[in-house]
Amino acid sequence: MPGAGCISMEQPEIPPGPKRRDFIKKSCAVLIGAVTGIVPAISGLLVFLDPLRRKAQDNDAVLIASLSSLPVDGVPRKFTVVADHTDAWNRMPRVPIGAVYLRRIGERQIQAFNVICPHAGCFVDYDLSKKSYHCPCHLSSFRVDGKIADPKSPSPRGLDELEVEIRSNNEIWVKFQNFRAGGKEKIPV
Ligand code: FES
């Protein structure tokens, strides 16, 4: 039997008072607010990233010309590249995005070059009489196969060759890309 001086260690259960109810209510409100805020935040992030996702699609191959439009003697022909273009947050359908030289190197084999000079970005011309490409800006010259012709050419590399394939028997498709000018390495931009 406990003596008169003994103190019990058990604490009586305190019923939830107004302060505790307030705390629970506020916690629930914060949690619901956080959950409902996440949904628009994720949607906003997806919209923000969308142009970046679309940019990847710009690197798809583009139909340039028909195989029959290229002379069989290997003389290059210049073609404008027309494709959908994503600029910052806008998508512009069917606009000129560059130009390429195409030449036959076999019955069904094509070589494709970007027309931009790798030195500083001018457009090169093809000189039929010299059978080579020339840049009017600082006089780089390139052989018909794209390699540097004159060793004094300031261009640090030959013309930028592009991936090309023939589809549906007569269509020439090119994976059009621009590359950083001024360096030996071919770095896509
Ligand atoms: S831009 Fe072509 S040689 Fe300089």
Side-chain angles (χ1 to χ4, degrees):
M1 185 176 170
C6 184
I7 300 167
S8 169
M9 297 303 287
E10 281 180 23
Q11 296 293 320
E13 199 162 301
I14 303 165
K19 278 191 181 170
R20 191 172 171 188
R21 276 199 297 273
D22 257 18
F23 174 76
I24 293 170
K25 269 191 209 165
K26 280 178 186 165
S27 300
C28 285
V30 168
L31 189 67
I32 290 167
V35 169
T36 50
I38 281 173
V39 174
I42 289 175
S43 309
L45 188 65
L46 287 176
V47 170
F48 178 75
L49 293 175
D50 189 46
L52 305 179
R53 287 188 294 131
R54 284 189 314 219
K55 198 169 187 334
Q57 294 165 7
D58 281 356
N59 289 334
D60 292 347
V62 180
L63 174 61
I64 304 291
S66 64
L67 186 60
S68 50
S69 66
L70 281 187
V72 289
D73 58 5
V75 173
R77 278 197 59 200
K78 189 172 164 182
F79 295 89
T80 301
V81 179
V82 177
D84 296 345
H85 178 61
T86 301
D87 182 1
W89 313 113
N90 299 312
R91 190 169 185 80
M92 291 168 277
R94 309 284 304 151
V95 291
I97 58 167
V100 292
Y101 281 106
L102 298 181
R103 66 182 280 257
R104 271 185 199 251
I105 53 174
E107 178 77 9
R108 301 184 54 77
Q109 265 186 302
I110 306 296
Q111 201 168 27
F113 297 110
N114 195 319
V115 300
I116 293 177
C117 177
H119 178 227
C122 294
F123 279 20
V124 298
D125 302 315
Y126 184 71
D127 186 331
L128 197 55
S129 63
K130 292 182 180 158
K131 295 194 169 108
S132 55
Y133 302 93
H134 291 267
C135 180
C137 292
H138 313 100
L139 309 180
S140 284
S141 61
F142 308 89
R143 294 185 341 209
V144 72
D145 63 3
K147 296 197 168 51
I148 290 179
D150 182 350
K152 290 190 203 126
S153 295
S155 179
R157 62 177 190 266
L159 291 178
D160 292 320
E161 191 164 353
L162 301 167
E163 286 178 38
V164 58
E165 66 173 304
I166 297 169
R167 295 182 191 170
S168 306
N169 207 37
N170 193 39
E171 295 175 355
I172 302 171
W173 290 74
V174 172
K175 188 178 173 189
F176 182 73
Q177 276 185 299
N178 288 313
F179 298 89
R180 196 177 295 170
K184 271 192 181 306
E185 299 297 318
K186 204 175 145 191
I187 301 168
V189 291

